[in-house]
Amino acid sequence: MGIFTITLPDIGEGIAEAELTEWNVAIGDEVQDEDVLGTVMTDKAAVEIPSTVAGKVVWLCGEPGDVIAIGAKFIQIEVEGEGNDSAAADAPAPKAEAKDKTDDTAEAAGEKPAAPAPEKSAEKSPAKPEAKAQSQPASQSQAARPAAAHRPLAAGEKPLASPAVRRRAQEAGIDLRRVGGSGPAGRILHEDLDAYIEHGPPTARQSGRMPALGTRDVKVVGMRRRIAEKMALSKSRIPHITIVEEVDVTAVEELRGQLNAAHAANRGKLTLLPFVMRAIVMAVREQPEMNALYDDEGGVVRQYDAVHIGIATQTPAGLTVPVARHTEARSVWDCAAEVVRLAEAAREGKASREELSGSTITITSLGPLGAIATTPIINHPEVAIVGINKMAVRPLWDGKEFQPRKVMNISCSFDHRVIDGWDAAVFVQKLKSLLETPALMFVED
Amino acid sequence: MSDMTCKLLIIGAGPGGYVCGIRAGQLGIDTIIVDEQKPGGTCLNVGCIPSKALIHAAEEFHKLSHFNGSSPLGITAASPQIDLSATVDWKNGIVTRLNAGVAGLLKKSGVRLIAGKATFQDGKTVKVTTGDTSVQIRAEQVVIATGSAPVELPFLPFGDTVISSSEALSLRSVPEKLCVVGGGYIGLEIGTAFAKLGAKVTVVEAAERILPQYDSALTRPVLKSLQALGIEVMLSTKAKGLGDKGLKVETAEGSEREIAADKVLVTVGRRPRSDSANIASLGLATDGPFLRIDDRCRTSMQGVFAIGDVTGEPMLAHRAMAQGEMVAEIIAGHKRSWDKRCIPAVCFTDPEIVTCGLSPDEAKKQGGAVTTGQFPFAANGRAMTMEAEDGFVRVVARKEDGLILGLQAVGRGVSELSAAFSIAIEMGARIDDIGAVIHAHPTQSEGLQEACLAALGHALHI
């Protein structure tokens, strides 16, 4: 038997490290060649790391949330034959033994353990990778610590409190089942009792309901951490200007209805989104500064001829932005099909790194939840974002009377460092006129 | 017959009764405590204290007996002798000192101690007879703390050869052959002590295993030690009665056999003394043989409390003490009720067993996911230096949040871990709390921390 060490492979150009987001295996698991061992997160995409050998997992490099350097030891697998890591083969695997013991109901009690004298087993494992040293300071004990949870008491279960707290409560005639515990495992502390005695349970008296006092710490890791970093970067670096405009989409909705009635069966169903994409393509033709990336350190705004539209998409893992490339070369049906394909890939976590990067301008939409107005955050380092709000039938004055019209607000944000308010307003007005008169979108000069 | 009155009358000066008396005295309650025997009850006079004295003497003798040149410690001692009569005198000296100590504590608290036999006249009136004199005591509140007595088998009545634990602790010479009926903790503690003193000991147990209240992981090191001491343990074996040479038994295979014995020690359990002192005339509600009490130790009669062994399992001195203290405070007008989370239990076998809270099986039966962690003394430096590598510490915790539900240990000297165990559970500690507490090195206590770390998945020394 030998130890085979798998290092974190180079998973993308220029990437020096990746965040471990998930283990698909645990110590002691048997794995086969090509089984997925774990998932790491790069700037954009989650990448699954497959096994290259079959054997038993004996060592893991860290825990979700740790940042692992490319090339650092990722996992060690005990394999038939020699393996590739002779140094690791001699090392004990203390973590594995401890873990095994945990789940053991101790039937093997009293038997001498395989581990020798304490001095020896206390030595540090030589298999400790350098990646761990660079990782976030989330100590193992912290990670292994059970989360404090405020659990309801089962019938007959006694509330958790120290004897002194229980005695005080009895003396004060307080039923501890009515006092929320803020301590670990919901333990009722002297402070909780003090608060109860001082303030009483006003909400409980009025409504008969217990105040909820529990808290939960949710570690911001993986996709959520990427989103958090990206949003913080956008908001802190880019001075946003947001313009909200009302658009009468009755005409484009009629057109959409007719096209769907005629072609949905063989060309797919159109939503409003491909028309908005088309409008953007037309608008940036006149205002190429909107279809650009701003390298503020280099002092350069790079304008693109190609219109790669990012579509902000909600996935189970969080917000992600797949990119419909070259929309300037696509028909509305192409755009529609591409959006559907990308959204599915993103939601299933199958979108590739290429599909998740390279946008030049972004559309964000909350669909039917879309509100009256939003304040979209620019997808850094882009300079403009188009937000689509909820469509509704509203009365519009046509000069003589109110008409019921399909109306949708658009909320567009711009990088005010490089886009002036005037230009931003022109861009928004262009989008409005294109969407209100859809024929203009299909007029090629 | 003279009359006395008091606010509180306690029948029985055992651990429950005398603690109740001391606390009542501290709280300024006019208290009288009555007992036929010297204060201290079974625990002090014929139970815990004498047995631990005998166990200690036997252990010391056993150590010397084995320093015969083969000890790895390099110690050789001349052939030791034991004068059990002197040992018993020494033990009696300790008991006498403690008797006086309890009497002194009662006196210091202003409690009147009356030696005599109590008989209930009614729920608040008790006649106490001392020799030819008697006194009638009327009280506002009464606490029944009459304790328990060894169970006698009808076909093995206590007498010359057949003895109870009380007599066994006062034997003036070591019997050559001792047969112990009952493989519970009392029989094993005394049987082990006599085996170490040189007796040929046979344990007869009707059940399939010794110490049936503990799981097999905890009892395995004890069984191993019994066998190493040359004690024959006969399981699934029933005592049938006395024969010409000793005890007649029916073996697991169903055959009759006679075990040669100079003394037959019967330790098949203890019965509550709920029939003494004319308690039956009060017509109190019962639970089987025990007096029924509520969470304030109140019986079915107003103003009559009951504490200790007479109220049921576990029959442990420290349970009685806690009840006694609580009842005194209730009588003093404090708001109290029984809200303990655990009662530690110690078995002074070799090695010792200590348990507190729920076992893994009990915890699982209560529902909910459970995690356990275990640390063997074989990986504990202090245990090695004491030649005490057998055994382990085990923690049982709620998986959801790591709340410690139970702690168990088996090993030399682990009885002293009982304080840490019960504090951890009463305080509502989680495994990560104990894991984060510095435990002195080198001590066996480290096993507690390591067991908790093992439950967290990262024991350090295994």
Side-chain angles (χ1 to χ4, degrees):
Chain A
M1 301 292 261
I3 298 295
F4 193 94
T5 299
I6 294 175
T7 56
L8 185 61
D10 188 354
I11 45 179
E13 199 177 328
I15 302 286
E17 59 186 22
E19 182 189 339
L20 176 63
T21 54
E22 186 185 4
W23 282 118
N24 293 66
V25 296
I27 287 173
D29 283 0
E30 296 285 344
V31 295
Q32 299 300 319
D33 191 10
E34 295 190 359
D35 278 1
V36 175
L37 299 170
T39 308
V40 296
M41 189 84 193
T42 65
D43 288 348
K44 291 274 183 185
V47 179
E48 293 179 337
I49 306 297
S51 180
T52 50
V53 290
K56 188 170 121 183
V57 177
V58 294
W59 181 85
L60 304 175
C61 69
E63 298 182 2
D66 288 352
V67 176
I68 317 294
I70 301 299
K73 286 181 181 175
F74 185 66
I75 196 166
Q76 286 181 334
I77 295 172
E78 192 178 75
V79 293
E80 296 286 341
E82 278 191 6
N84 68 348
D85 195 336
S86 57
D90 301 330
K95 210 169 161 187
E97 285 179 20
K99 207 129 190 164
D100 289 347
K101 213 73 189 171
T102 308
D103 296 327
D104 194 328
T105 49
E107 277 308 304
E111 286 173 16
K112 292 195 178 190
E119 303 85 67
K120 201 166 175 186
S121 56
E123 286 170 9
K124 283 192 176 174
S125 164
K128 197 133 183 145
E130 56 273 34
K132 188 76 187 172
Q134 300 170 2
S135 71
Q136 298 297 310
S139 73
Q140 193 177 24
S141 63
Q142 249 176 338
R145 184 168 297 169
H150 204 69
R151 56 196 294 284
L153 295 178
E157 189 181 354
K158 290 178 176 173
L160 191 59
S162 74
V165 170
R166 284 182 252 158
R167 178 159 288 203
R168 273 186 63 208
Q170 278 205 335
E171 281 167 354
I174 292 170
D175 182 351
L176 278 180
R177 284 172 298 186
R178 297 182 65 79
V179 181
S182 63
R187 190 188 308 157
I188 301 164
L189 310 177
H190 280 289
E191 293 84 334
D192 298 323
L193 197 54
D194 290 340
Y196 189 94
I197 290 168
E198 196 174 330
H199 305 298
T203 51
R205 274 198 206 117
Q206 285 162 6
S207 66
R209 295 187 191 120
M210 287 292 293
L213 300 170
T215 58
R216 278 156 297 282
D217 293 340
V218 180
K219 208 170 172 194
V220 177
V221 296
M223 186 88 162
R224 180 46 58 189
R225 190 156 94 180
R226 296 284 159 201
I227 294 168
E229 288 168 359
K230 193 76 191 281
M231 291 299 171
L233 180 71
S234 291
K235 256 313 203 188
S236 62
R237 295 277 281 271
I238 303 174
H240 283 59
I241 175 175
T242 301
I243 296 176
V244 181
E245 180 57 281
E246 190 177 64
V247 180
D248 181 347
V249 290
T250 310
V252 74
E253 276 293 281
E254 276 173 17
L255 175 62
R256 190 173 75 85
Q258 286 166 5
L259 290 172
N260 278 342
H263 304 293
N266 49 12
R267 302 188 74 172
K269 205 171 175 185
L270 292 172
T271 63
L272 195 59
L273 192 58
F275 293 94
V276 177
M277 293 166 82
R278 182 77 189 160
I280 290 173
V281 167
M282 301 293 281
V284 302
R285 205 176 280 173
E286 291 179 18
Q287 287 181 289
E289 70 270 24
M290 299 295 174
N291 187 47
L293 305 183
Y294 178 26
D295 175 1
D296 53 0
E297 285 175 2
V300 176
V301 176
R302 178 169 297 133
Q303 298 177 0
Y304 284 77
D305 293 336
V307 186
H308 303 317
I309 302 182
I311 311 289
T313 306
Q314 193 63 37
T315 72
L319 180 68
T320 189
V321 187
V323 181
R325 291 179 169 270
H326 290 292
T327 48
E328 78 283 0
R330 293 179 189 270
S331 69
V332 283
W333 283 282
D334 278 353
C335 285
E338 182 65 356
V339 166
V340 169
R341 188 188 69 78
L342 288 168
E344 266 179 26
R347 288 194 185 110
E348 290 169 10
K350 289 179 180 167
S352 70
R353 188 173 149 69
E354 287 68 32
E355 288 168 333
L356 292 170
S357 58
S359 59
T360 55
I361 188 167
T362 295
I363 298 176
T364 177
S365 164
L366 289 172
L369 298 174
I372 295 169
T374 48
T375 56
I377 295 177
I378 294 164
N379 187 15
H380 181 275
E382 291 162 27
V383 298
I385 184 166
V386 175
I388 300 174
N389 301 116
K390 187 168 64 176
M391 186 173 65
V393 176
R394 290 180 208 153
L396 287 192
W397 187 252
D398 68 357
K400 293 179 183 167
E401 56 187 347
F402 281 107
Q403 297 286 346
R405 304 290 288 179
K406 288 181 179 168
V407 176
M408 179 188 80
N409 291 355
I410 55 172
S411 305
C412 303
S413 296
F414 304 88
D415 186 337
H416 213 347
R417 295 174 297 178
V418 291
I419 307 284
D420 292 334
W422 177 268
D423 295 325
V426 168
F427 180 72
V428 171
Q429 288 307 315
K430 181 70 180 174
L431 290 180
K432 177 179 165 75
S433 69
L434 288 166
L435 288 168
E436 291 188 341
T437 316
L440 294 174
M441 286 192 267
F442 302 97
V443 175
E444 299 291 341
D445 292 333
Chain B
M1 189 165 70
S2 59
D3 280 1
M4 294 174 80
T5 57
C6 60
K7 176 156 187 191
L8 170 62
L9 172 64
I10 302 166
I11 314 295
Y18 86 70
V19 167
C20 184
I22 291 171
R23 185 73 185 118
Q26 288 173 347
L27 293 164
I29 299 168
D30 176 24
T31 304
I32 293 175
I33 186 165
V34 180
D35 201 312
E36 281 182 90
Q37 310 292 331
K38 289 183 175 165
T42 297
C43 165
L44 201 166
N45 293 296
V46 289
C48 319
I49 300 298
S51 67
K52 266 77 253 177
L54 182 74
I55 287 166
H56 173 71
E59 177 61 28
E60 296 297 300
F61 179 72
H62 181 66
K63 269 189 214 163
L64 283 176
S65 314
H66 284 74
F67 288 147
N68 54 5
S70 63
S71 164
L73 305 185
I75 302 172
T76 307
S79 165
Q81 301 294 318
I82 183 154
D83 176 357
L84 191 61
S85 187
T87 309
V88 168
D89 286 343
W90 164 76
K91 177 265 290 181
N92 288 345
I94 294 171
V95 170
T96 305
R97 268 169 60 202
L98 289 170
N99 289 144
V102 172
L105 290 170
L106 289 168
K107 191 175 176 188
K108 189 176 135 198
S109 304
V111 177
R112 287 173 282 173
L113 174 62
I114 296 177
K117 181 176 169 52
T119 310
F120 274 101
Q121 307 297 297
D122 61 48
K124 301 293 178 292
T125 313
V126 172
K127 189 171 112 182
V128 178
T129 310
T130 314
D132 297 336
T133 62
S134 62
V135 59
Q136 184 162 288
I137 305 172
R138 281 195 65 78
E140 291 174 34
Q141 313 268 2
V142 176
V143 173
I144 299 171
T146 47
S148 62
V151 168
E152 194 173 21
L153 292 172
F155 50 87
L156 279 173
F158 293 135
D160 191 26
T161 309
V162 181
I163 57 174
S164 73
S165 56
S166 306
E167 289 81 42
L169 295 169
S170 292
L171 288 176
R172 291 275 164 182
S173 62
V174 179
E176 198 179 318
K177 298 186 189 79
L178 175 67
C179 184
V180 180
V181 180
Y185 78 95
I186 299 174
L188 293 187
E189 283 182 17
I190 298 175
T192 301
F194 275 105
K196 287 180 174 176
L197 291 170
K200 169 76 184 97
V201 177
T202 307
V203 174
V204 174
E205 168 58 51
E208 290 174 355
R209 43 193 291 253
I210 56 164
L211 299 169
Q213 73 269 41
Y214 298 113
D215 62 73
S216 58
L218 286 169
T219 57
R220 198 174 298 133
V222 177
L223 188 60
K224 201 171 118 190
S225 164
L226 292 174
Q227 286 159 349
L229 285 167
I231 297 174
E232 185 182 0
V233 180
M234 301 179 69
L235 300 173
S236 304
T237 302
K238 290 179 192 137
K240 304 298 276 186
L242 272 189
D244 298 334
K245 293 179 184 167
L247 181 73
K248 288 194 288 189
V249 297
E250 183 186 317
T251 65
E253 294 77 36
S255 58
E256 291 262 337
R257 182 179 150 188
E258 186 163 341
I259 300 161
D262 305 312
K263 293 286 181 192
V264 175
L265 168 61
V266 178
T267 56
V268 292
R270 297 184 67 82
R271 60 172 180 79
R273 283 204 188 97
S274 52
D275 51 356
S276 63
N278 200 27
I279 293 170
S281 70
L282 304 182
L284 301 176
T286 55
D287 270 334
F290 303 107
L291 296 183
R292 181 186 293 174
I293 54 168
D294 66 6
D295 66 349
R296 288 174 171 76
C297 288
R298 294 178 297 197
T299 66
S300 53
M301 183 180 284
Q302 197 168 6
V304 177
F305 296 80
I307 58 174
D309 288 2
V310 75
T311 63
E313 298 283 358
M315 293 198 205
L316 295 171
H318 41 275
R319 170 174 170 268
M321 290 181 184
Q323 288 178 322
E325 185 195 14
M326 179 184 76
V327 166
E329 294 184 353
I330 289 170
I331 290 169
H334 298 188
K335 287 180 183 169
R336 292 282 181 274
S337 63
W338 185 261
D339 65 350
K340 310 297 181 190
R341 295 190 160 268
C342 62
I343 302 172
V346 178
C347 182
F348 286 89
T349 43
D350 179 13
E352 295 169 352
I353 298 175
V354 55
T355 61
C356 200
L358 303 179
S359 70
D361 284 345
E362 287 167 339
K364 280 174 197 160
K365 272 181 200 157
Q366 283 201 357
V370 167
T371 184
T372 63
Q374 187 168 311
F375 188 77
F377 285 124
N380 176 266
R382 178 61 178 150
M384 287 181 203
T385 62
M386 299 196 306
E387 301 178 280
E389 294 177 37
D390 275 354
F392 59 89
V393 181
R394 182 175 66 194
V395 63
V396 182
R398 197 158 65 193
K399 195 157 197 167
E400 177 189 351
D401 53 18
L403 180 74
I404 296 175
L405 302 173
L407 285 158
Q408 301 90 33
V410 54
R412 172 99 52 88
V414 294
S415 55
E416 291 302 326
L417 290 179
S418 67
F421 285 9
S422 44
I423 288 171
I425 295 174
E426 286 291 343
M427 295 295 289
R430 306 196 309 184
I431 43 180
D432 49 343
D433 287 323
I434 303 299
V437 170
I438 296 175
H439 286 62
H441 175 78
T443 62
Q444 285 177 284
S445 303
E446 291 174 89
L448 170 59
Q449 184 188 24
E450 289 281 4
C452 291
L453 291 176
L456 287 166
H458 51 90
L460 292 169
H461 289 93
I462 184 171

